[in-house]
Amino acid sequence: MTDLIALLPLQQAVADDLLDVGGERPIADLAWAQELSAWIEEDLADHASLVGPGQHRWGKGAIASILGCEAHHLASVGDFSWTSAIAKGTIVHQAIALVAAGSEAAPRDLAYAALDQAASAGNSSLRTWLDALADQEKVALVGECVVGIDGFLSAFPPLQAQWRPVAEWPVSATIAAGKVRIAGRVDLSLGAPRPGPEGIERRRLIVEVKSGAPRPEHRADHLLYSLLDTLRSKIPPWRAATFYTQDGTWVADDITEELLVVAAGRLIDAVKRLIEVVYSRVPARRVGWRCQFCSIEPTCPARLHSIDKGRSGDDRPRSV
């Protein structure tokens, strides 16, 4: 088990099962990236011709949103506001970045340090939102963040320098004849490709950390990041996972060519829709959990259908 000692039971489970410390790693097939890139470009060729000058930049949020409900996606573009839940996620991730950088501070100290960083060097709109909070509200926010930070520290073994931990690790790919850039930041990257006697070992583990409840798109997100890493570096990660701090559970995938094909198909579908609703057609409406947060007019058939089904306990997505 390498040099890790005196781990808590959950930390031991994470080290053994999720991180697979000391385990063998697969050898990279360098043809995967080339084949995936060629397929994506071929499938998006007609849509790329619709895009005007400049480049569209989208991330995992836009992809999940357009696949959920096209009309809601367009209605929510530029309609962002900070909430305690969103700020909590940002601060918890910033605290994990401090841990990855070597901090051994206690959860409360990490929360206040992350809050200070967000207020001084972070997003300007976040600074404005934080400045508007009363002192008691800030303390309450820190308290919520401490729970998420402690959940991570209690579950993950101490991040060793030789694991090459990097927080907010950037991944991106330019596709559709250069007309579209898909980008994001991985919450935590561990390991890096390494030449071995049989070829290049796929040693990178991608971990998305969530302080909230699980959602179906979380798995799709970490597979998307695996695809972007493959297209960027030409070497797929060996595993990708989403870790939930609230209960110390995770969803993990050993990355295979088949999973990358699934992720590429989802990306192609989303980019086609994103381009179409901007350039060539009216967006479709689809029932889903987003209906309860949607700003589209109250008479939207999909929204009314969702409300009715919600009352009856049936919230299965349907096209309307």
Side-chain angles (χ1 to χ4, degrees), residues 19 25 160-166 169 188-194 201-207 229 232 237-238:
L19 307 186
R25 298 295 184 256
Q160 307 296 301
Q162 62 266 31
W163 295 353
R164 295 182 61 168
V166 180
W169 183 66
L188 182 63
S189 167
L190 298 172
R194 187 173 69 190
E201 297 176 354
R202 295 161 49 199
R203 304 192 66 85
R204 191 181 304 281
L205 168 63
I206 285 174
V207 183
D229 181 30
R232 180 194 66 87
W238 76 276

Side-chain angles (χ1 to χ4, degrees), residues 271-288:
V271 170
K272 284 181 177 180
R273 291 169 183 255
L274 287 163
I275 291 174
E276 287 169 2
V277 298
V278 172
Y279 293 100
S280 66
R281 65 174 174 83
V282 174
R285 300 185 180 194
R286 185 172 184 264
V287 175

Side-chain angles (χ1 to χ4, degrees), residues 8 56 145 232 285 287 293:
L8 300 172
H56 288 284
C145 294
R232 180 194 66 87
R285 300 185 180 194
V287 175
F293 306 109

